[in-house]
Structure formats: structure tokens, C-alpha cells
Amino acid sequence: METIQAERYAEQLSAELNEIQRKGLYRQLRRMDSASSRTVTVEGKPLLMFASNNYLGLSDDPRMIEASVIALRTFGTGSSGSRLTTGNFILHEQLEKQIAGFKNQQAAIVFNTGYMANLAALTALAGESDIIFSDEWNHASIIDGCRLSRAQTVVYRHADMADLQSKLANSSRYRRRLIVTDGVFSMDGDIAPLPEIVRLAEQFDAWVMVDDAHATGVLGERGSGTADYFGLSKQVMIQMGTLSKSIAAEGGYIAGSAELIDLLRNRARPFIYSTALPPAVIAAASCALRIIESEPERRVHLCRLATRVRSGLEELGCRVMKGNTPIIPVLIGDAETAVRMAGELEREGVFAPAIRPPTVPSGSSRIRLTVMASHTDADVDCLLHAFAAAGRRVGLL
Ligand SMILES: *Cc1c(COP(=O)(O)O)cnc(C)c1O
């Protein structure tokens, strides 16, 4: 028999869920029945994937799988402990050296997710006597890291350098000033104005931290990210990224000076108190970095296809947000229309879900398209055809 307390508990939770549903913000899981590739089977139905962060198409690369299998056979399934106890394998150490070289930094440290890397760095580097300046469109893991750090957090308007400057001008009483920004903004696909940020940081004696989740493997001469793209590898002291997007494994990292990495090993709670990533995942990430460094043609192809998608959508009359990355957001507006658009795209054979608040500001719901190096020109033709048909049915075009 249900107690009155259990009934109230269910009622309260249902009321909250109803409220989410009423706003058109209810989220449901979609089930993938195949590897995340250019085509995927979603709940039994084959679709063209245009929403994955697997930018270089490496997640089902036979070399990656082979590297994982060898690590699995050699070292087993789990790492069995945190890095500081029993979970530190030669694979972890090799990967950290590789990341440091790739990012042109002295050292690197791997965390279990990109989310944890941001929490780790922000909480280890900033505290009550410090101030963090954070772009208003920064990723949720940066926002959470700022909150958890207990530092004073000041949010500046997106990429607005005049706003950042005036906020920095009032911060001399703090011990440490830290400016943190996404390198490529995850839901918007634009690139942070890093040269100006670095200049302001020098003027006001602030540190710069860049989250390169979406730029790693994609931007820059060597594909190593936003700092590389702008030639500012030495000026950006704290370089964060994930192993779960273009690197197609799992995990996050911070790269920087030897002292920074040593401090994180000693102070970052997500590093100290969580079991290390398993050997198979680390081996896959190492393999991806080797591929990224030896096959620049993947980035070139990706960039060319992204440009084709952008101009094709603009010709159709879509509201494409400006940028030159493989993240191509098409603005729809209200959440319900965006969801209907995603449904129609799916009927046309394309998987690209709607992105709604609170992930993006209210009224700016969108279809966030992403291109992968594994896509072909024929895939882009299919996408544009699907967009035209779906857009007409929803009344957008
Ligand atoms: C995805 C993402 C993260 C989190 O990385 P995970 O490895 O998925 O935890 C952090 N920052 C940005 C900008 C991201 O897009």
C-alpha cells in the first residue's frame, strides 16, 4: 500500500515534469542502434547523422578499435583505482605526453570527462579571493566550475571585448583574475576573439583559460585548437579540451605549464577522488591523436563540406548563424517549431535534434547541424534536400 508520503512525493515530481512539458522543454532519450558514423540506426531506422561531435569520423575507425582491443587484452577492462592509487597505467602517461606535445605545452593531465576537467581546473585555480570572467555563452561545465570554485564570477556579454574590459578594470582588489572562454562555442559555432582576450589579459594581469572541446582536432594549422589557430599557444596558459568529441574516445584534459599540471594533480578533486579512465579508452584517444597529426586531409575535407552546408542553407533562405567551424546552427526561434522541424528532418532521413532552452537562450531554439570528415558531397546534397522539404512543411521556408 502506498503511504501518503509516497503519494505526495510522486505528485510533486509529476507537477515539475508537467511544467517542463508545458513549456515544450521535455527531453526524451533517443536510442542509437549502431556505431556513431555518417549513417546511424536510430531506434531501428537508418538515418544520415548530422548532429554528432565525432567531427573527424574516428569513432568507428578500425585502427582506433584495434588499439582499444589490444589495450583491453593487455590491461583488462577497468583501471581499478584513481590515478594516485592503483589506476595509473603507462597508457595514461603516454597519452598525457602526447597531448602536451600536440598542444605545444610542457605537460598535460587527463580527467574522466571534459566536464570534470573544467570543474577541476576552475576549483583548483580560483577561490574566494579570486575573480573569474566568463563569457555568457560558455558551456554549462564552466558555469558549474565557477559556482563550485566560490570565486566571484562576472559574466561578460558574448565575445564583447568592451564589456570584458570595463569589468576587468574593476578587479584590482582580487588576488587572481581568470578569463575563461569556450574556444569554439558549442551551440553557436563561432570562435572566441582570443587575440583581444589575450591583449586584455596582459593589460589587466589576468590568466586565460580556453575550453577547446569543439576546436581540438578541428582548428589550427596542426588541428590542435583555438590557440594554435590564432598562433597564441604560449599566451593561453590553461588549455582545456575533451577526448570525447573529435578524438572519439572519452575524457577531458588540461594542458599547460609543468607547475600548473603538478598543482592540478595535487589539488583537483575530480582527479584525486575518481577512478581513472579504463585502458581501452586511453588507447583509443592516443590512436586518435596519432591519426589527427598524420592525416591533415581530414580537417581540410571537413572544412570544405562545412562551407558547402553553410552556403547551401543560406541559399535556401535559412537563418544560419555566422561562423567557419563544422558547427552550423540554424535558428528556428520557439522550442515547439524547432522540435517539429527536427521531426520533419527525421522523416526526410536526417538526424539533427532540436536544441532548446536552457541549453540555449529562450527564443533561440535551433537545429544544430554538425559536419563530419566521414561525410561525402552526396550526404551534403541529401541534407540540403531534406532541409528544403522539412522547412516548407513546417512553414519556415
Ligand atoms: C562537451 C563539452 C564539454 C564537456 O566535455 P565532455 O567530455 O563531454 O564531458 C565541455 N565544454 C564544452 C564547450 C563542451 O562542448
Side-chain angles (χ1 to χ4, degrees), residues 265-311:
R265 275 193 216 112
N266 282 279
R267 195 182 271 164
R269 293 167 66 86
F271 181 79
I272 302 171
Y273 296 108
S274 196
T275 300
L277 283 170
V281 166
I282 297 294
S286 273
C287 181
L289 283 174
R290 284 192 295 274
I291 296 174
I292 289 169
E293 293 195 272
S294 62
E295 298 178 6
E297 61 272 19
R298 286 177 179 271
R299 285 196 298 285
V300 175
H301 177 66
L302 176 65
C303 189
R304 187 179 65 77
L305 286 190
T307 306
R308 259 205 75 199
V309 171
R310 276 179 190 281
S311 57

Short mmCIF file of all heavy atoms in Angstrom, two decimals, residues 265-311:
data_model
loop_
_atom_site.label_atom_id
_atom_site.label_comp_id
_atom_site.label_asym_id
_atom_site.label_seq_id
_atom_site.Cartn_x
_atom_site.Cartn_y
_atom_site.Cartn_z
N ARG A 265 47.34 17.94 -10.21
CA ARG A 265 47.47 16.58 -9.68
C ARG A 265 47.33 16.56 -8.17
O ARG A 265 46.85 15.61 -7.58
CB ARG A 265 48.85 16.00 -10.02
CG ARG A 265 48.92 15.37 -11.38
CD ARG A 265 50.21 14.57 -11.50
NE ARG A 265 50.69 14.69 -12.86
CZ ARG A 265 51.80 15.32 -13.22
NH1 ARG A 265 52.61 15.86 -12.32
NH2 ARG A 265 52.11 15.40 -14.49
N ASN A 266 47.75 17.65 -7.55
CA ASN A 266 47.72 17.71 -6.09
C ASN A 266 46.44 18.28 -5.51
O ASN A 266 46.14 18.06 -4.35
CB ASN A 266 48.91 18.54 -5.58
CG ASN A 266 50.18 17.72 -5.63
OD1 ASN A 266 50.43 16.94 -4.73
ND2 ASN A 266 50.96 17.87 -6.69
N ARG A 267 45.74 19.05 -6.33
CA ARG A 267 44.62 19.77 -5.74
C ARG A 267 43.27 19.48 -6.39
O ARG A 267 42.24 19.72 -5.76
CB ARG A 267 44.91 21.27 -5.81
CG ARG A 267 43.99 22.04 -4.93
CD ARG A 267 44.23 23.51 -5.02
NE ARG A 267 45.22 23.98 -4.07
CZ ARG A 267 45.82 25.16 -4.15
NH1 ARG A 267 45.53 25.97 -5.14
NH2 ARG A 267 46.70 25.52 -3.25
N ALA A 268 43.24 18.99 -7.63
CA ALA A 268 41.97 18.88 -8.33
C ALA A 268 41.19 17.66 -7.83
O ALA A 268 41.58 16.51 -8.05
CB ALA A 268 42.22 18.77 -9.84
N ARG A 269 40.08 17.92 -7.19
CA ARG A 269 39.32 16.83 -6.58
C ARG A 269 38.77 15.81 -7.58
O ARG A 269 38.78 14.61 -7.30
CB ARG A 269 38.21 17.41 -5.68
CG ARG A 269 38.78 18.14 -4.47
CD ARG A 269 37.75 18.98 -3.75
NE ARG A 269 36.71 18.16 -3.13
CZ ARG A 269 36.82 17.63 -1.90
NH1 ARG A 269 37.91 17.81 -1.18
NH2 ARG A 269 35.83 16.92 -1.41
N PRO A 270 38.33 16.24 -8.77
CA PRO A 270 37.87 15.22 -9.73
C PRO A 270 39.00 14.27 -10.16
O PRO A 270 38.73 13.15 -10.59
CB PRO A 270 37.38 16.05 -10.92
CG PRO A 270 37.04 17.37 -10.34
CD PRO A 270 38.07 17.60 -9.25
N PHE A 271 40.24 14.73 -10.06
CA PHE A 271 41.38 13.86 -10.38
C PHE A 271 41.68 12.92 -9.20
O PHE A 271 41.92 11.72 -9.39
CB PHE A 271 42.61 14.72 -10.68
CG PHE A 271 43.84 13.92 -11.04
CD1 PHE A 271 43.99 13.41 -12.32
CD2 PHE A 271 44.84 13.69 -10.11
CE1 PHE A 271 45.12 12.67 -12.67
CE2 PHE A 271 45.97 12.96 -10.45
CZ PHE A 271 46.11 12.44 -11.73
N ILE A 272 41.64 13.47 -8.02
CA ILE A 272 42.05 12.71 -6.83
C ILE A 272 41.01 11.67 -6.44
O ILE A 272 41.36 10.56 -6.04
CB ILE A 272 42.32 13.69 -5.65
CG1 ILE A 272 43.41 14.70 -6.05
CG2 ILE A 272 42.73 12.92 -4.39
CD1 ILE A 272 43.60 15.84 -5.06
N TYR A 273 39.73 12.02 -6.57
CA TYR A 273 38.69 11.18 -5.98
C TYR A 273 37.83 10.41 -6.98
O TYR A 273 36.70 10.06 -6.68
CB TYR A 273 37.78 12.04 -5.08
CG TYR A 273 38.55 12.60 -3.91
CD1 TYR A 273 38.87 13.95 -3.85
CD2 TYR A 273 38.99 11.76 -2.89
CE1 TYR A 273 39.60 14.46 -2.79
CE2 TYR A 273 39.71 12.27 -1.82
CZ TYR A 273 40.02 13.62 -1.79
OH TYR A 273 40.74 14.12 -0.74
N SER A 274 38.35 10.18 -8.18
CA SER A 274 37.57 9.39 -9.13
C SER A 274 38.48 8.36 -9.78
O SER A 274 39.66 8.62 -10.03
CB SER A 274 36.96 10.33 -10.19
OG SER A 274 35.93 9.67 -10.87
N THR A 275 37.93 7.19 -10.05
CA THR A 275 38.70 6.12 -10.66
C THR A 275 39.17 6.53 -12.06
O THR A 275 38.41 7.15 -12.81
CB THR A 275 37.83 4.85 -10.73
OG1 THR A 275 37.45 4.51 -9.40
CG2 THR A 275 38.56 3.69 -11.36
N ALA A 276 40.40 6.19 -12.38
CA ALA A 276 40.98 6.59 -13.67
C ALA A 276 40.21 5.97 -14.83
O ALA A 276 39.59 4.91 -14.69
CB ALA A 276 42.44 6.15 -13.72
N LEU A 277 40.29 6.61 -15.99
CA LEU A 277 39.66 6.06 -17.20
C LEU A 277 40.28 4.70 -17.52
O LEU A 277 41.46 4.47 -17.28
CB LEU A 277 39.89 7.01 -18.38
CG LEU A 277 39.02 8.26 -18.42
CD1 LEU A 277 39.52 9.20 -19.51
CD2 LEU A 277 37.55 7.90 -18.67
N PRO A 278 39.48 3.82 -18.12
CA PRO A 278 39.98 2.47 -18.42
C PRO A 278 40.98 2.46 -19.58
O PRO A 278 40.94 3.34 -20.45
CB PRO A 278 38.71 1.70 -18.79
CG PRO A 278 37.73 2.73 -19.19
CD PRO A 278 38.07 3.99 -18.43
N PRO A 279 41.88 1.49 -19.59
CA PRO A 279 42.95 1.41 -20.60
C PRO A 279 42.43 1.49 -22.04
O PRO A 279 43.04 2.17 -22.88
CB PRO A 279 43.59 0.05 -20.33
CG PRO A 279 43.30 -0.23 -18.89
CD PRO A 279 41.98 0.41 -18.59
N ALA A 280 41.33 0.83 -22.36
CA ALA A 280 40.86 0.80 -23.75
C ALA A 280 40.51 2.20 -24.25
O ALA A 280 40.76 2.54 -25.41
CB ALA A 280 39.65 -0.13 -23.87
N VAL A 281 39.95 3.01 -23.38
CA VAL A 281 39.56 4.38 -23.74
C VAL A 281 40.80 5.23 -23.98
O VAL A 281 40.88 6.01 -24.94
CB VAL A 281 38.69 4.98 -22.61
CG1 VAL A 281 38.54 6.48 -22.77
CG2 VAL A 281 37.32 4.31 -22.59
N ILE A 282 41.78 5.07 -23.10
CA ILE A 282 43.02 5.85 -23.21
C ILE A 282 43.76 5.47 -24.50
O ILE A 282 44.28 6.34 -25.22
CB ILE A 282 43.92 5.57 -21.97
CG1 ILE A 282 43.20 6.04 -20.70
CG2 ILE A 282 45.28 6.23 -22.12
CD1 ILE A 282 43.01 7.53 -20.61
N ALA A 283 43.78 4.18 -24.81
CA ALA A 283 44.48 3.73 -26.02
C ALA A 283 43.80 4.30 -27.27
O ALA A 283 44.47 4.69 -28.23
CB ALA A 283 44.50 2.20 -26.08
N ALA A 284 42.47 4.36 -27.26
CA ALA A 284 41.76 4.93 -28.40
C ALA A 284 42.12 6.41 -28.57
O ALA A 284 42.37 6.88 -29.69
CB ALA A 284 40.25 4.77 -28.22
N ALA A 285 42.17 7.14 -27.46
CA ALA A 285 42.50 8.57 -27.53
C ALA A 285 43.91 8.77 -28.09
O ALA A 285 44.14 9.66 -28.93
CB ALA A 285 42.37 9.21 -26.15
N SER A 286 44.85 7.94 -27.65
CA SER A 286 46.23 8.04 -28.16
C SER A 286 46.26 7.80 -29.66
O SER A 286 46.94 8.51 -30.42
CB SER A 286 47.12 6.98 -27.51
OG SER A 286 47.63 7.46 -26.31
N CYS A 287 45.52 6.79 -30.09
CA CYS A 287 45.47 6.45 -31.51
C CYS A 287 44.88 7.62 -32.31
O CYS A 287 45.40 7.98 -33.36
CB CYS A 287 44.64 5.18 -31.69
SG CYS A 287 44.54 4.64 -33.40
N ALA A 288 43.83 8.24 -31.78
CA ALA A 288 43.19 9.37 -32.48
C ALA A 288 44.18 10.51 -32.66
O ALA A 288 44.24 11.12 -33.73
CB ALA A 288 41.97 9.85 -31.72
N LEU A 289 44.97 10.79 -31.62
CA LEU A 289 45.94 11.89 -31.74
C LEU A 289 46.97 11.61 -32.82
O LEU A 289 47.37 12.51 -33.56
CB LEU A 289 46.63 12.14 -30.39
CG LEU A 289 45.77 12.89 -29.36
CD1 LEU A 289 46.47 12.95 -28.01
CD2 LEU A 289 45.46 14.31 -29.84
N ARG A 290 47.38 10.34 -32.93
CA ARG A 290 48.33 9.99 -34.00
C ARG A 290 47.69 10.22 -35.37
O ARG A 290 48.31 10.76 -36.29
CB ARG A 290 48.78 8.52 -33.86
CG ARG A 290 49.79 8.29 -32.74
CD ARG A 290 50.44 6.92 -32.83
NE ARG A 290 49.50 5.82 -32.62
CZ ARG A 290 49.17 5.33 -31.41
NH1 ARG A 290 49.71 5.84 -30.32
NH2 ARG A 290 48.32 4.34 -31.31
N ILE A 291 46.42 9.83 -35.49
CA ILE A 291 45.72 10.00 -36.78
C ILE A 291 45.57 11.49 -37.10
O ILE A 291 45.81 11.92 -38.23
CB ILE A 291 44.35 9.29 -36.77
CG1 ILE A 291 44.53 7.77 -36.62
CG2 ILE A 291 43.55 9.63 -38.02
CD1 ILE A 291 43.24 6.99 -36.44
N ILE A 292 45.19 12.27 -36.10
CA ILE A 292 44.99 13.72 -36.31
C ILE A 292 46.28 14.36 -36.81
O ILE A 292 46.28 15.19 -37.71
CB ILE A 292 44.49 14.39 -35.01
CG1 ILE A 292 43.04 13.98 -34.73
CG2 ILE A 292 44.61 15.92 -35.10
CD1 ILE A 292 42.53 14.37 -33.36
N GLU A 293 47.41 13.95 -36.23
CA GLU A 293 48.68 14.57 -36.62
C GLU A 293 49.16 14.10 -37.99
O GLU A 293 49.83 14.84 -38.69
CB GLU A 293 49.73 14.34 -35.54
CG GLU A 293 49.35 15.12 -34.28
CD GLU A 293 50.46 15.28 -33.26
OE1 GLU A 293 50.62 14.39 -32.41
OE2 GLU A 293 51.16 16.30 -33.33
N SER A 294 48.78 12.88 -38.37
CA SER A 294 49.32 12.37 -39.64
C SER A 294 48.34 12.50 -40.81
O SER A 294 48.73 12.27 -41.96
CB SER A 294 49.75 10.91 -39.48
OG SER A 294 48.63 10.12 -39.14
N GLU A 295 47.08 12.85 -40.55
CA GLU A 295 46.11 12.93 -41.65
C GLU A 295 45.39 14.29 -41.68
O GLU A 295 44.17 14.35 -41.46
CB GLU A 295 45.10 11.77 -41.55
CG GLU A 295 45.78 10.41 -41.67
CD GLU A 295 44.84 9.22 -41.54
OE1 GLU A 295 43.61 9.41 -41.44
OE2 GLU A 295 45.35 8.09 -41.53
N PRO A 296 46.14 15.36 -41.99
CA PRO A 296 45.52 16.68 -42.01
C PRO A 296 44.40 16.79 -43.06
O PRO A 296 43.55 17.66 -42.96
CB PRO A 296 46.68 17.63 -42.33
CG PRO A 296 47.74 16.77 -42.93
CD PRO A 296 47.58 15.41 -42.32
N GLU A 297 44.42 15.88 -44.04
CA GLU A 297 43.40 15.95 -45.10
C GLU A 297 41.98 15.78 -44.54
O GLU A 297 41.02 16.25 -45.13
CB GLU A 297 43.68 14.90 -46.20
CG GLU A 297 43.68 13.46 -45.75
CD GLU A 297 45.04 12.95 -45.23
OE1 GLU A 297 45.90 13.80 -44.88
OE2 GLU A 297 45.24 11.73 -45.18
N ARG A 298 41.87 15.14 -43.37
CA ARG A 298 40.54 15.02 -42.75
C ARG A 298 39.97 16.39 -42.41
O ARG A 298 38.78 16.66 -42.62
CB ARG A 298 40.62 14.22 -41.44
CG ARG A 298 40.81 12.75 -41.67
CD ARG A 298 40.97 11.99 -40.36
NE ARG A 298 41.12 10.59 -40.68
CZ ARG A 298 40.11 9.74 -40.80
NH1 ARG A 298 38.88 10.12 -40.56
NH2 ARG A 298 40.31 8.50 -41.17
N ARG A 299 40.84 17.26 -41.85
CA ARG A 299 40.39 18.61 -41.48
C ARG A 299 40.03 19.43 -42.71
O ARG A 299 39.08 20.20 -42.71
CB ARG A 299 41.51 19.35 -40.74
CG ARG A 299 41.72 18.91 -39.33
CD ARG A 299 42.54 19.92 -38.56
NE ARG A 299 43.88 20.14 -39.07
CZ ARG A 299 44.89 19.30 -38.93
NH1 ARG A 299 44.71 18.17 -38.28
NH2 ARG A 299 46.07 19.59 -39.42
N VAL A 300 40.82 19.27 -43.76
CA VAL A 300 40.60 20.05 -44.98
C VAL A 300 39.24 19.67 -45.59
O VAL A 300 38.44 20.53 -45.94
CB VAL A 300 41.75 19.78 -45.99
CG1 VAL A 300 41.49 20.48 -47.32
CG2 VAL A 300 43.08 20.23 -45.39
N HIS A 301 38.97 18.38 -45.65
CA HIS A 301 37.70 17.88 -46.20
C HIS A 301 36.53 18.38 -45.34
O HIS A 301 35.51 18.86 -45.85
CB HIS A 301 37.75 16.35 -46.24
CG HIS A 301 36.49 15.71 -46.73
ND1 HIS A 301 36.03 15.85 -48.02
CD2 HIS A 301 35.59 14.92 -46.08
CE1 HIS A 301 34.88 15.17 -48.15
NE2 HIS A 301 34.60 14.61 -46.99
N LEU A 302 36.69 18.28 -44.03
CA LEU A 302 35.66 18.71 -43.08
C LEU A 302 35.31 20.18 -43.30
O LEU A 302 34.14 20.57 -43.38
CB LEU A 302 36.18 18.49 -41.66
CG LEU A 302 35.31 18.94 -40.50
CD1 LEU A 302 34.02 18.14 -40.46
CD2 LEU A 302 36.06 18.79 -39.18
N CYS A 303 36.34 20.99 -43.42
CA CYS A 303 36.18 22.42 -43.57
C CYS A 303 35.46 22.74 -44.89
O CYS A 303 34.56 23.57 -44.94
CB CYS A 303 37.57 23.03 -43.52
SG CYS A 303 37.56 24.77 -43.45
N ARG A 304 35.83 22.03 -45.95
CA ARG A 304 35.20 22.27 -47.25
C ARG A 304 33.71 21.90 -47.21
O ARG A 304 32.86 22.65 -47.67
CB ARG A 304 35.92 21.45 -48.34
CG ARG A 304 35.44 21.78 -49.75
CD ARG A 304 36.17 21.00 -50.83
NE ARG A 304 35.93 19.56 -50.76
CZ ARG A 304 34.82 18.96 -51.19
NH1 ARG A 304 33.85 19.67 -51.73
NH2 ARG A 304 34.68 17.65 -51.09
N LEU A 305 33.40 20.75 -46.59
CA LEU A 305 31.99 20.34 -46.52
C LEU A 305 31.18 21.32 -45.67
O LEU A 305 30.04 21.65 -46.00
CB LEU A 305 31.87 18.93 -45.92
CG LEU A 305 32.27 17.76 -46.82
CD1 LEU A 305 31.85 16.46 -46.16
CD2 LEU A 305 31.66 17.86 -48.21
N ALA A 306 31.78 21.80 -44.57
CA ALA A 306 31.05 22.74 -43.70
C ALA A 306 30.72 24.02 -44.47
O ALA A 306 29.61 24.54 -44.36
CB ALA A 306 31.90 23.07 -42.47
N THR A 307 31.65 24.48 -45.28
CA THR A 307 31.40 25.68 -46.08
C THR A 307 30.26 25.42 -47.08
O THR A 307 29.39 26.27 -47.28
CB THR A 307 32.68 26.09 -46.85
OG1 THR A 307 33.72 26.21 -45.88
CG2 THR A 307 32.51 27.40 -47.58
N ARG A 308 30.26 24.23 -47.67
CA ARG A 308 29.17 23.88 -48.61
C ARG A 308 27.82 23.87 -47.91
O ARG A 308 26.83 24.36 -48.46
CB ARG A 308 29.42 22.48 -49.18
CG ARG A 308 30.01 22.45 -50.56
CD ARG A 308 29.66 21.15 -51.27
NE ARG A 308 28.26 21.11 -51.70
CZ ARG A 308 27.60 20.00 -52.01
NH1 ARG A 308 28.21 18.82 -51.94
NH2 ARG A 308 26.34 20.05 -52.39
N VAL A 309 27.77 23.29 -46.71
CA VAL A 309 26.49 23.22 -45.98
C VAL A 309 26.01 24.63 -45.66
O VAL A 309 24.85 24.97 -45.89
CB VAL A 309 26.63 22.38 -44.70
CG1 VAL A 309 25.38 22.50 -43.83
CG2 VAL A 309 26.89 20.92 -45.04
N ARG A 310 26.93 25.46 -45.14
CA ARG A 310 26.55 26.84 -44.80
C ARG A 310 25.98 27.59 -46.00
O ARG A 310 24.89 28.16 -45.92
CB ARG A 310 27.78 27.63 -44.33
CG ARG A 310 28.10 27.43 -42.90
CD ARG A 310 29.34 28.22 -42.47
NE ARG A 310 29.69 27.78 -41.13
CZ ARG A 310 29.08 28.19 -40.04
NH1 ARG A 310 28.13 29.09 -40.11
NH2 ARG A 310 29.41 27.71 -38.87
N SER A 311 26.70 27.56 -47.12
CA SER A 311 26.22 28.36 -48.25
C SER A 311 24.96 27.74 -48.83
O SER A 311 24.05 28.47 -49.24
CB SER A 311 27.32 28.57 -49.29
OG SER A 311 27.79 27.32 -49.72
#
